[in-house]
Amino acid sequence: MLKKTILVRSLSLAFGTVAVAASLNAQAQTTEPVQKVVVTGSLIPRADRETPSPIQMVTADDIAKSGASSLSEVLSNMTANGQGTLSQGFSGAFAGGAAGVALRGLTVGLTLVLVDGHRMTPYPLSDDNQRQFVDLSSIPLDAIDRIEVLKDGASASYGSDAIAGVVNVILKKSHNGTTVRSEYGTSEKGGGNISKASFTHGFGDLAKDGYNIFGTLEYRHRDKIKFSDRADELWASPDWTSRGGNNLTLGVPTTLNSNLTQASGPFLFNPNGPKVNGSAANNPNNFSFLSTACPNYSTYISGGCAVADTYRNIQPETKNLNLLVGATLNLDNDWTLAVKASLFDSQLHLERGLPATFTTTSFGGYNAFGPGENPQIVNRVPSAKIPSTYPGYQSSWGVNDPVRLYGYVPDIGQTTRRDYDTTTTRLAADLNGSAWGWDMNVAAGYSKAVTGIIYNGDVDRVALYNALTRSVSPFKATGGNSATDIATIAPTYTNRATNELTYLEARGSRELMDLPGGALGLATGASYIHKRLSVPQPLLQREGVVASGGFFAGGSANNTALFAEMNAPVLKGLELGLSGRVDHFDTYGNSATPKATFKWTPSSIFTLRGTAAKGFRAPAATENGEAATSFAAGNVNDPVLCPDAKTTTAGNVIAACNQAVAYLQKTNPDLAPEKSMSYTFGAILEPIKGWGTTIDMYKIKVDNQINVDALLPGFDNASHSVRNIPLPTLISDGGSASHTGTPAVGTVAYIQAMYVNVGSTETSGVELDTSYKFKLGDMGTLKTEFMINHMFSYLLEQAGTTYQLAGTHGPSGVSGDTGNPKNRAQFTLEWDKGPLNLKATTNWIDSFSVADPSVAADDCLTAYSDQAGRTYFQNLTQPAEFCNVGSFTTVDLALTYKMSKRWTLRANVQNLFDKQPPIDVGTYGNGSAQVGYNPSMHQSGAIGRFFSLGVNYQF
């Protein structure tokens, strides 16, 4: 059937039915049959891409003009991307080295990422060791033809975890000739240099030769940016005194640390020495300084032994080497076979934090655990006092005094470091053709991701203390120790995690009969998916070297499914759709997910559309398999040893106040799947030629959510705590004074937790996308586009209480505490004239509150002053100006100039006006309590103005 083009629609408005009839007659004589395509979210080919579901398209040209160096950067600016997104800049992430997208703010575990419409193996390390996701940073940009983002539930088409939407990455299918690309970029303030190069070659014409074979090789390297590279910026300064807070500069003694802190040079301290003003730390005779880096007490107490933060990164160093090879062959009877093989290698070198410090009093040990065994406390140091024979020990001190050693452990490297090297291999085959009246597709694929991890800078506390206290040649706090000592005290550990996915799918579609609006379409099929995860326990966790962040996971699942879809144009302009899927998982049972859609076009300029769908997410092996996790979920105050949460109260154990306690997370084999119900309702407007607008409202509710019980309101830390044996430790005398004593009970070693099905999340909002193309005659053309996503609400129900989190920092316990702004927008201006193209993109993120009512942090003035590791305003009142994270606007500029038929020049400036990130005192996503910005929302501000220049050559 003939369809009116946009030109015909505009003529209809302007000149009436006579002009329309003439135009239709001409079109009937010249127009070839409309090519039908399969769009993400549907199994039935269609003639138009405006489906009942809202879909956003990002082309290869859009990617090139964005200036982005990775797919995660491209998607991070999407207005539909929200709370829970993962960036490679989050140094504290369990899934270190990877990046993921979270549509509608529903975490990376509820957004399905496909490659060429098929599943890809997830990253071996899961978000919070729970939510599995595809690592976006591993997919090469130069291999991408386009990205289709489906913004509604799609479990009926694709199965588990397509609740919030689908990101379908379509790779290039063919290439003829040779294309060479190169690019270099650098930041104005230093660091973060990017080098990119790619080579693509292909030959064969499908129409003439019956085949096409091509290959793409891409290399990318990005340098790190340290916090010290941005030390002159307010958001990067650890000294908050000018802002009404504490001075958190490393090595500076304050009342917050009782005037005892790890300085730029090591020193001995005798807490039993004479006190001045109630504290031994106020008497210089109780100190012995061991190096010229921090030579004496007056230098130390005045802040002259501060430590420059050259250890932690704003942006880690990354390297990528990617190879994609594809071949398409025409077979008999219009059948085609397409095969793609790829190898993506992604490396990330991550400085997680400060270098290790000496144990000063005692060390309660770490909880070590493994498959099939109960946790055990290992690496305990009952007393860390320094013997009187140690160099620098003052003769005036008693030989039995509990003298302590302060300082950073030398010779083991500048920082605790993780090196991630992930190799993802994929082989996929698609057989397409027609038989018995059906258009058919048979697909099979296998993908495997292997992540090798190297751990450096983690200290064996028992080995270190034994080396310090040996009578002959003790470990030197000033450095210059033997290689044998270093290898014993801080050995290098490794681990190797693997995730595999195999799929087999067959589907077919056909037209059944003619209806008043067109042909009734039917599609049906079946699929089989096998997943296997293996994350062995890191050796360092068995040795008890790290307090939290330890994990292991393993398990497999088989998923078989039957699915069908029907599209019925019941009337002219009215299209109804119904689809359904039945899944069987051998790990828990069956799930059924239907979906209904409609699209009504009463006129050529106006269309209504909508969807209603059920969805589900099956429990992962990390949740119901053989797995366990040791994690930190903010700091806690021991109800026995620090009941009023203050280090200045007499009798409180200082280490038990605001204590970073490890939680031990266990799996639950009885978990049921998460279930969802989602709705969209919207309109498509095309009032005149060149102007198109879509507006879509959405609502998604996820029930039966799989949560950690320790993070739920009412969880009793005390009853779930496992304590160390009582050991000598620092006890407050009141104010800044303290003494060493042994409390009645030991400090908390860890808190036991498990996964449970409880609570729900409901998010709703509206998204607008409007674009217009101006024809400027000899001045070329101007394209404009404006997209905005407004969140109506974000409701989190836990333990019978519902919290409104739209526009807050909540839920702060998910994926790096990224924040939940109500509004995100993007505005683009693109001008074309001959060989020149200029594109300006403005990205805007709304302000939001630092409060999170779901964790009882609903008073922004005190929410983060004394808890959760954010000590900016501990023991003080947080100024009102920090109650909200300010809005953030950046402008990116791209220039493309086609110098000749073969040569193309590209230039980009990201963050053109060098917009600084707003202060965020609520997030822990930067992996540090020393600075205050949000890397998931405002990373481009921390990087600053960034320039890149590239060139393409085709022959």
Side-chain angles (χ1 to χ4, degrees), residues 591-618:
S591 290
T593 48
K595 182 176 183 178
T597 67
F598 83 92
K599 181 182 175 185
W600 179 47
T601 308
S603 75
S604 60
I605 64 174
F606 178 68
T607 298
L608 287 177
R609 64 182 179 183
T611 66
K614 286 188 174 182
F616 77 105
R617 183 183 74 84

PDB file of all heavy atoms in Angstrom, residues 591-618:
ATOM      1  N   SER A 591       8.650 -18.312  33.942  1.00  0.00           N
ATOM      2  CA  SER A 591       8.132 -16.945  33.952  1.00  0.00           C
ATOM      3  C   SER A 591       7.442 -16.677  32.625  1.00  0.00           C
ATOM      4  O   SER A 591       7.940 -17.079  31.565  1.00  0.00           O
ATOM      5  CB  SER A 591       9.254 -15.921  34.163  1.00  0.00           C
ATOM      6  OG  SER A 591       9.759 -15.982  35.473  1.00  0.00           O
ATOM      7  N   ALA A 592       6.291 -16.000  32.678  1.00  0.00           N
ATOM      8  CA  ALA A 592       5.551 -15.623  31.477  1.00  0.00           C
ATOM      9  C   ALA A 592       5.446 -14.105  31.419  1.00  0.00           C
ATOM     10  O   ALA A 592       5.120 -13.463  32.423  1.00  0.00           O
ATOM     11  CB  ALA A 592       4.157 -16.240  31.474  1.00  0.00           C
ATOM     12  N   THR A 593       5.719 -13.524  30.251  1.00  0.00           N
ATOM     13  CA  THR A 593       5.753 -12.064  30.124  1.00  0.00           C
ATOM     14  C   THR A 593       5.027 -11.635  28.844  1.00  0.00           C
ATOM     15  O   THR A 593       5.564 -11.774  27.750  1.00  0.00           O
ATOM     16  CB  THR A 593       7.201 -11.545  30.086  1.00  0.00           C
ATOM     17  OG1 THR A 593       7.964 -12.321  29.150  1.00  0.00           O
ATOM     18  CG2 THR A 593       7.832 -11.642  31.451  1.00  0.00           C
ATOM     19  N   PRO A 594       3.827 -11.095  28.967  1.00  0.00           N
ATOM     20  CA  PRO A 594       3.104 -10.572  27.804  1.00  0.00           C
ATOM     21  C   PRO A 594       3.369  -9.079  27.607  1.00  0.00           C
ATOM     22  O   PRO A 594       3.841  -8.381  28.511  1.00  0.00           O
ATOM     23  CB  PRO A 594       1.642 -10.804  28.186  1.00  0.00           C
ATOM     24  CG  PRO A 594       1.643 -10.652  29.686  1.00  0.00           C
ATOM     25  CD  PRO A 594       2.978 -11.176  30.163  1.00  0.00           C
ATOM     26  N   LYS A 595       3.059  -8.588  26.411  1.00  0.00           N
ATOM     27  CA  LYS A 595       3.166  -7.170  26.087  1.00  0.00           C
ATOM     28  C   LYS A 595       2.103  -6.811  25.065  1.00  0.00           C
ATOM     29  O   LYS A 595       1.876  -7.564  24.107  1.00  0.00           O
ATOM     30  CB  LYS A 595       4.554  -6.832  25.544  1.00  0.00           C
ATOM     31  CG  LYS A 595       4.756  -5.358  25.218  1.00  0.00           C
ATOM     32  CD  LYS A 595       6.183  -5.080  24.770  1.00  0.00           C
ATOM     33  CE  LYS A 595       6.419  -3.596  24.502  1.00  0.00           C
ATOM     34  NZ  LYS A 595       7.824  -3.308  24.120  1.00  0.00           N
ATOM     35  N   ALA A 596       1.446  -5.660  25.269  1.00  0.00           N
ATOM     36  CA  ALA A 596       0.441  -5.163  24.328  1.00  0.00           C
ATOM     37  C   ALA A 596       0.830  -3.759  23.881  1.00  0.00           C
ATOM     38  O   ALA A 596       1.327  -2.964  24.684  1.00  0.00           O
ATOM     39  CB  ALA A 596      -0.946  -5.148  24.979  1.00  0.00           C
ATOM     40  N   THR A 597       0.594  -3.453  22.595  1.00  0.00           N
ATOM     41  CA  THR A 597       0.967  -2.150  22.047  1.00  0.00           C
ATOM     42  C   THR A 597      -0.142  -1.635  21.138  1.00  0.00           C
ATOM     43  O   THR A 597      -0.966  -2.403  20.638  1.00  0.00           O
ATOM     44  CB  THR A 597       2.274  -2.241  21.237  1.00  0.00           C
ATOM     45  OG1 THR A 597       2.049  -3.028  20.053  1.00  0.00           O
ATOM     46  CG2 THR A 597       3.395  -2.864  22.053  1.00  0.00           C
ATOM     47  N   PHE A 598      -0.137  -0.304  20.940  1.00  0.00           N
ATOM     48  CA  PHE A 598      -1.025   0.262  19.930  1.00  0.00           C
ATOM     49  C   PHE A 598      -0.355   1.490  19.320  1.00  0.00           C
ATOM     50  O   PHE A 598       0.487   2.148  19.933  1.00  0.00           O
ATOM     51  CB  PHE A 598      -2.381   0.646  20.529  1.00  0.00           C
ATOM     52  CG  PHE A 598      -2.403   2.000  21.196  1.00  0.00           C
ATOM     53  CD1 PHE A 598      -2.771   3.142  20.486  1.00  0.00           C
ATOM     54  CD2 PHE A 598      -2.038   2.144  22.526  1.00  0.00           C
ATOM     55  CE1 PHE A 598      -2.796   4.391  21.083  1.00  0.00           C
ATOM     56  CE2 PHE A 598      -2.051   3.388  23.144  1.00  0.00           C
ATOM     57  CZ  PHE A 598      -2.429   4.521  22.422  1.00  0.00           C
ATOM     58  N   LYS A 599      -0.749   1.784  18.087  1.00  0.00           N
ATOM     59  CA  LYS A 599      -0.308   2.992  17.386  1.00  0.00           C
ATOM     60  C   LYS A 599      -1.477   3.449  16.521  1.00  0.00           C
ATOM     61  O   LYS A 599      -1.941   2.724  15.635  1.00  0.00           O
ATOM     62  CB  LYS A 599       0.921   2.695  16.529  1.00  0.00           C
ATOM     63  CG  LYS A 599       1.453   3.906  15.778  1.00  0.00           C
ATOM     64  CD  LYS A 599       2.650   3.514  14.912  1.00  0.00           C
ATOM     65  CE  LYS A 599       3.112   4.679  14.050  1.00  0.00           C
ATOM     66  NZ  LYS A 599       4.188   4.288  13.113  1.00  0.00           N
ATOM     67  N   TRP A 600      -1.946   4.680  16.776  1.00  0.00           N
ATOM     68  CA  TRP A 600      -3.123   5.217  16.073  1.00  0.00           C
ATOM     69  C   TRP A 600      -2.738   6.513  15.395  1.00  0.00           C
ATOM     70  O   TRP A 600      -2.252   7.442  16.040  1.00  0.00           O
ATOM     71  CB  TRP A 600      -4.270   5.440  17.060  1.00  0.00           C
ATOM     72  CG  TRP A 600      -5.506   6.018  16.418  1.00  0.00           C
ATOM     73  CD1 TRP A 600      -6.104   5.611  15.280  1.00  0.00           C
ATOM     74  CD2 TRP A 600      -6.272   7.120  16.919  1.00  0.00           C
ATOM     75  NE1 TRP A 600      -7.210   6.378  15.008  1.00  0.00           N
ATOM     76  CE2 TRP A 600      -7.343   7.315  16.014  1.00  0.00           C
ATOM     77  CE3 TRP A 600      -6.163   7.949  18.034  1.00  0.00           C
ATOM     78  CZ2 TRP A 600      -8.279   8.324  16.185  1.00  0.00           C
ATOM     79  CZ3 TRP A 600      -7.109   8.942  18.211  1.00  0.00           C
ATOM     80  CH2 TRP A 600      -8.162   9.121  17.290  1.00  0.00           C
ATOM     81  N   THR A 601      -2.946   6.567  14.078  1.00  0.00           N
ATOM     82  CA  THR A 601      -2.584   7.741  13.279  1.00  0.00           C
ATOM     83  C   THR A 601      -3.856   8.293  12.644  1.00  0.00           C
ATOM     84  O   THR A 601      -4.212   7.937  11.502  1.00  0.00           O
ATOM     85  CB  THR A 601      -1.548   7.375  12.202  1.00  0.00           C
ATOM     86  OG1 THR A 601      -0.450   6.710  12.813  1.00  0.00           O
ATOM     87  CG2 THR A 601      -1.034   8.616  11.490  1.00  0.00           C
ATOM     88  N   PRO A 602      -4.581   9.158  13.349  1.00  0.00           N
ATOM     89  CA  PRO A 602      -5.817   9.711  12.780  1.00  0.00           C
ATOM     90  C   PRO A 602      -5.580  10.679  11.637  1.00  0.00           C
ATOM     91  O   PRO A 602      -6.469  10.944  10.842  1.00  0.00           O
ATOM     92  CB  PRO A 602      -6.468  10.406  13.973  1.00  0.00           C
ATOM     93  CG  PRO A 602      -5.333  10.751  14.885  1.00  0.00           C
ATOM     94  CD  PRO A 602      -4.336   9.647  14.718  1.00  0.00           C
ATOM     95  N   SER A 603      -4.370  11.272  11.590  1.00  0.00           N
ATOM     96  CA  SER A 603      -4.027  12.168  10.482  1.00  0.00           C
ATOM     97  C   SER A 603      -2.545  12.038  10.213  1.00  0.00           C
ATOM     98  O   SER A 603      -1.799  11.442  10.989  1.00  0.00           O
ATOM     99  CB  SER A 603      -4.383  13.622  10.824  1.00  0.00           C
ATOM    100  OG  SER A 603      -3.452  14.163  11.743  1.00  0.00           O
ATOM    101  N   SER A 604      -2.124  12.617   9.126  1.00  0.00           N
ATOM    102  CA  SER A 604      -0.729  12.486   8.731  1.00  0.00           C
ATOM    103  C   SER A 604       0.209  13.260   9.636  1.00  0.00           C
ATOM    104  O   SER A 604       1.433  13.081   9.573  1.00  0.00           O
ATOM    105  CB  SER A 604      -0.565  12.970   7.287  1.00  0.00           C
ATOM    106  OG  SER A 604      -0.956  14.334   7.176  1.00  0.00           O
ATOM    107  N   ILE A 605      -0.339  14.136  10.462  1.00  0.00           N
ATOM    108  CA  ILE A 605       0.528  14.960  11.294  1.00  0.00           C
ATOM    109  C   ILE A 605       0.477  14.572  12.772  1.00  0.00           C
ATOM    110  O   ILE A 605       1.174  15.167  13.593  1.00  0.00           O
ATOM    111  CB  ILE A 605       0.169  16.455  11.171  1.00  0.00           C
ATOM    112  CG1 ILE A 605      -1.250  16.720  11.704  1.00  0.00           C
ATOM    113  CG2 ILE A 605       0.331  16.924   9.738  1.00  0.00           C
ATOM    114  CD1 ILE A 605      -1.611  18.195  11.757  1.00  0.00           C
ATOM    115  N   PHE A 606      -0.333  13.553  13.114  1.00  0.00           N
ATOM    116  CA  PHE A 606      -0.523  13.253  14.527  1.00  0.00           C
ATOM    117  C   PHE A 606      -0.684  11.749  14.726  1.00  0.00           C
ATOM    118  O   PHE A 606      -1.457  11.094  14.014  1.00  0.00           O
ATOM    119  CB  PHE A 606      -1.765  13.984  15.046  1.00  0.00           C
ATOM    120  CG  PHE A 606      -2.082  13.699  16.495  1.00  0.00           C
ATOM    121  CD1 PHE A 606      -1.246  14.149  17.511  1.00  0.00           C
ATOM    122  CD2 PHE A 606      -3.209  12.966  16.836  1.00  0.00           C
ATOM    123  CE1 PHE A 606      -1.535  13.881  18.835  1.00  0.00           C
ATOM    124  CE2 PHE A 606      -3.512  12.707  18.161  1.00  0.00           C
ATOM    125  CZ  PHE A 606      -2.671  13.162  19.171  1.00  0.00           C
ATOM    126  N   THR A 607       0.062  11.208  15.684  1.00  0.00           N
ATOM    127  CA  THR A 607      -0.009   9.783  16.019  1.00  0.00           C
ATOM    128  C   THR A 607       0.009   9.615  17.530  1.00  0.00           C
ATOM    129  O   THR A 607       0.781  10.284  18.232  1.00  0.00           O
ATOM    130  CB  THR A 607       1.189   9.013  15.414  1.00  0.00           C
ATOM    131  OG1 THR A 607       1.151   9.116  13.995  1.00  0.00           O
ATOM    132  CG2 THR A 607       1.148   7.546  15.813  1.00  0.00           C
ATOM    133  N   LEU A 608      -0.840   8.737  18.018  1.00  0.00           N
ATOM    134  CA  LEU A 608      -0.798   8.318  19.418  1.00  0.00           C
ATOM    135  C   LEU A 608      -0.225   6.911  19.495  1.00  0.00           C
ATOM    136  O   LEU A 608      -0.469   6.080  18.599  1.00  0.00           O
ATOM    137  CB  LEU A 608      -2.195   8.339  20.040  1.00  0.00           C
ATOM    138  CG  LEU A 608      -2.821   9.694  20.337  1.00  0.00           C
ATOM    139  CD1 LEU A 608      -4.238   9.506  20.871  1.00  0.00           C
ATOM    140  CD2 LEU A 608      -1.980  10.479  21.332  1.00  0.00           C
ATOM    141  N   ARG A 609       0.527   6.615  20.554  1.00  0.00           N
ATOM    142  CA  ARG A 609       1.088   5.280  20.711  1.00  0.00           C
ATOM    143  C   ARG A 609       1.190   4.929  22.193  1.00  0.00           C
ATOM    144  O   ARG A 609       1.196   5.807  23.059  1.00  0.00           O
ATOM    145  CB  ARG A 609       2.465   5.188  20.068  1.00  0.00           C
ATOM    146  CG  ARG A 609       3.532   6.083  20.689  1.00  0.00           C
ATOM    147  CD  ARG A 609       4.836   5.950  19.938  1.00  0.00           C
ATOM    148  NE  ARG A 609       5.894   6.812  20.469  1.00  0.00           N
ATOM    149  CZ  ARG A 609       7.113   6.913  19.943  1.00  0.00           C
ATOM    150  NH1 ARG A 609       7.422   6.203  18.868  1.00  0.00           N
ATOM    151  NH2 ARG A 609       8.018   7.708  20.474  1.00  0.00           N
ATOM    152  N   GLY A 610       1.276   3.631  22.475  1.00  0.00           N
ATOM    153  CA  GLY A 610       1.397   3.224  23.861  1.00  0.00           C
ATOM    154  C   GLY A 610       1.739   1.754  23.981  1.00  0.00           C
ATOM    155  O   GLY A 610       1.565   0.964  23.048  1.00  0.00           O
ATOM    156  N   THR A 611       2.256   1.373  25.149  1.00  0.00           N
ATOM    157  CA  THR A 611       2.622  -0.008  25.420  1.00  0.00           C
ATOM    158  C   THR A 611       2.290  -0.343  26.874  1.00  0.00           C
ATOM    159  O   THR A 611       2.255   0.534  27.745  1.00  0.00           O
ATOM    160  CB  THR A 611       4.126  -0.264  25.203  1.00  0.00           C
ATOM    161  OG1 THR A 611       4.878   0.473  26.180  1.00  0.00           O
ATOM    162  CG2 THR A 611       4.566   0.160  23.813  1.00  0.00           C
ATOM    163  N   ALA A 612       2.062  -1.607  27.124  1.00  0.00           N
ATOM    164  CA  ALA A 612       1.918  -2.142  28.477  1.00  0.00           C
ATOM    165  C   ALA A 612       2.597  -3.502  28.487  1.00  0.00           C
ATOM    166  O   ALA A 612       2.310  -4.346  27.618  1.00  0.00           O
ATOM    167  CB  ALA A 612       0.450  -2.266  28.875  1.00  0.00           C
ATOM    168  N   ALA A 613       3.493  -3.723  29.429  1.00  0.00           N
ATOM    169  CA  ALA A 613       4.290  -4.943  29.394  1.00  0.00           C
ATOM    170  C   ALA A 613       4.639  -5.419  30.789  1.00  0.00           C
ATOM    171  O   ALA A 613       4.914  -4.618  31.690  1.00  0.00           O
ATOM    172  CB  ALA A 613       5.576  -4.708  28.593  1.00  0.00           C
ATOM    173  N   LYS A 614       4.646  -6.725  30.933  1.00  0.00           N
ATOM    174  CA  LYS A 614       5.197  -7.339  32.127  1.00  0.00           C
ATOM    175  C   LYS A 614       6.657  -7.714  31.854  1.00  0.00           C
ATOM    176  O   LYS A 614       7.054  -7.925  30.709  1.00  0.00           O
ATOM    177  CB  LYS A 614       4.404  -8.586  32.532  1.00  0.00           C
ATOM    178  CG  LYS A 614       3.046  -8.278  33.149  1.00  0.00           C
ATOM    179  CD  LYS A 614       2.404  -9.542  33.708  1.00  0.00           C
ATOM    180  CE  LYS A 614       1.112  -9.194  34.450  1.00  0.00           C
ATOM    181  NZ  LYS A 614       0.484 -10.406  35.053  1.00  0.00           N
ATOM    182  N   GLY A 615       7.430  -7.795  32.926  1.00  0.00           N
ATOM    183  CA  GLY A 615       8.831  -8.160  32.773  1.00  0.00           C
ATOM    184  C   GLY A 615       9.323  -8.908  33.997  1.00  0.00           C
ATOM    185  O   GLY A 615       8.628  -9.029  35.008  1.00  0.00           O
ATOM    186  N   PHE A 616      10.536  -9.414  33.903  1.00  0.00           N
ATOM    187  CA  PHE A 616      11.118 -10.112  35.034  1.00  0.00           C
ATOM    188  C   PHE A 616      12.643 -10.132  34.899  1.00  0.00           C
ATOM    189  O   PHE A 616      13.196  -9.943  33.811  1.00  0.00           O
ATOM    190  CB  PHE A 616      10.598 -11.549  35.124  1.00  0.00           C
ATOM    191  CG  PHE A 616      11.230 -12.506  34.130  1.00  0.00           C
ATOM    192  CD1 PHE A 616      12.176 -13.427  34.537  1.00  0.00           C
ATOM    193  CD2 PHE A 616      10.886 -12.468  32.784  1.00  0.00           C
ATOM    194  CE1 PHE A 616      12.765 -14.300  33.625  1.00  0.00           C
ATOM    195  CE2 PHE A 616      11.462 -13.331  31.869  1.00  0.00           C
ATOM    196  CZ  PHE A 616      12.409 -14.255  32.292  1.00  0.00           C
ATOM    197  N   ARG A 617      13.304 -10.309  36.021  1.00  0.00           N
ATOM    198  CA  ARG A 617      14.749 -10.551  36.023  1.00  0.00           C
ATOM    199  C   ARG A 617      15.026 -11.784  36.863  1.00  0.00           C
ATOM    200  O   ARG A 617      14.699 -11.834  38.048  1.00  0.00           O
ATOM    201  CB  ARG A 617      15.525  -9.367  36.597  1.00  0.00           C
ATOM    202  CG  ARG A 617      17.055  -9.578  36.527  1.00  0.00           C
ATOM    203  CD  ARG A 617      17.828  -8.438  37.150  1.00  0.00           C
ATOM    204  NE  ARG A 617      17.784  -8.433  38.595  1.00  0.00           N
ATOM    205  CZ  ARG A 617      18.600  -9.149  39.382  1.00  0.00           C
ATOM    206  NH1 ARG A 617      19.498  -9.960  38.848  1.00  0.00           N
ATOM    207  NH2 ARG A 617      18.509  -9.060  40.691  1.00  0.00           N
ATOM    208  N   ALA A 618      15.626 -12.770  36.223  1.00  0.00           N
ATOM    209  CA  ALA A 618      15.929 -14.010  36.925  1.00  0.00           C
ATOM    210  C   ALA A 618      17.080 -13.786  37.901  1.00  0.00           C
ATOM    211  O   ALA A 618      17.998 -13.011  37.624  1.00  0.00           O
ATOM    212  CB  ALA A 618      16.310 -15.095  35.925  1.00  0.00           C
TER     213      ALA A 618
END
